[in-house]
Amino acid sequence: MTFQTLDDLEDGQRVLVRLDLNSPVEDGEVQDNRRFDRHAETIRELVDREFEIAVMAHQGRPGRDDFVSLEQHADILADHIDQEVAFVDETYGPQAIHDIADLDSGDVLVLENTRMCDDELPEEDPEVKSQTEFVQTLKGEFDAYINDAYSAAHRSHASLVGFPLVMDAYAGRVMETEYEANTAIAEKEFDGQVTMVVGGTKATDVIDVMTHLDEKVDDFLLGGIAGELFLRAAGHPVGYDVDDANLYDEQWEANSEKIESMLADHGDQITLAVDLAYEDDGDRAEQAVDDIEEKTVSYLDVGSETVMEYSPIIRDSEAVFVKGALGMFEDERFSVGTAGVLEAIADTNCFSVVGGGDTSRAIEMYGMSEDEFGHVSIAGGAYIRALTGAKLVGVEALKR
């Protein structure tokens, strides 16, 4: 690790802290999620160390229903750190500067949604972002900048890459732990078997991850839409769109050559589902892949036999990484694949990292504890970038 952390920062200073509190919004109400809980650990430490704290974060994108103020976020954060959190409806205007100047030791102030500033978007070089009015106005108000927003670190936005070029910059605890865990597969040496559970809805992501890690991973266990496309490449009559679905055929057209090539070159490292689950009169039904003559239903999960085949492989592994869900786990009927492999990991004394979109939500949904896993990532796009070896511009800015 080549960036500074909170261990390198002297107590009691005034700090500008970038979090990622981007959350689902339902009927105008911001939903609490595990990001608040994770970032609260960083904020509580800063409060205990008597820092004066101003928080930056984003919510949604302009033009979308979830593009809302951070006023509700301040209240949710207050609940997590068990103290008052102030809010100002500006990011760097006169009132924001006034409220920042009024901060005392242990105070926390949330600034307005960074994406409501013209300077935040679009993505531009860090050097360009560092010279924006947004960055130049705020830099003189603080002793240091702390980036804790690992899950947004693949974005070259002003609040993420501009400040580290003009201020003393440090990684928060979430940034530090996410970086260490998510780069482990590329940087750590494991003596035993390394297994990766790969699912989700985007075949390109799966292919990029598998291509980059083919020399690091002994066995890829596939599921989800990507897994069905690999079954199609293996000669099974699945991986097609049925009814009004639009999930498979376009992705097959774009990725079929790569998928077929991967099966030909690395077939011994790829384990495919042996059965698939679908809805039948409102219930879960399963069908062996070898018995499928034509795809007439939408498959929503891998089957029970597949979980029974995947579980011993996981239990024999020294390290297991998860990227994406094996099925539509939000529906309990089709949670068998995702929950089953997570339970196998939880029962195994291995190094484990779970991430990729909302997959980590299944841990809480199905009665497991995050303590049973080495690391549960709250990052989506940044996690995938890390697995494919791509550099994260926000991390690189901190390293500078």
Side-chain angles (χ1 to χ4, degrees), residues 356-369:
D358 289 336
T359 311
S360 58
R361 285 197 299 120
I363 292 172
E364 182 179 355
M365 286 180 66
Y366 296 102
M368 291 168 274
S369 169

Side-chain angles (χ1 to χ4, degrees), residues 254-270:
N255 297 289
S256 59
E257 290 185 11
K258 290 181 180 178
I259 293 173
E260 289 169 342
S261 175
M262 291 192 71
L263 277 176
D265 296 340
H266 303 285
D268 58 335
Q269 295 171 257
I270 299 171

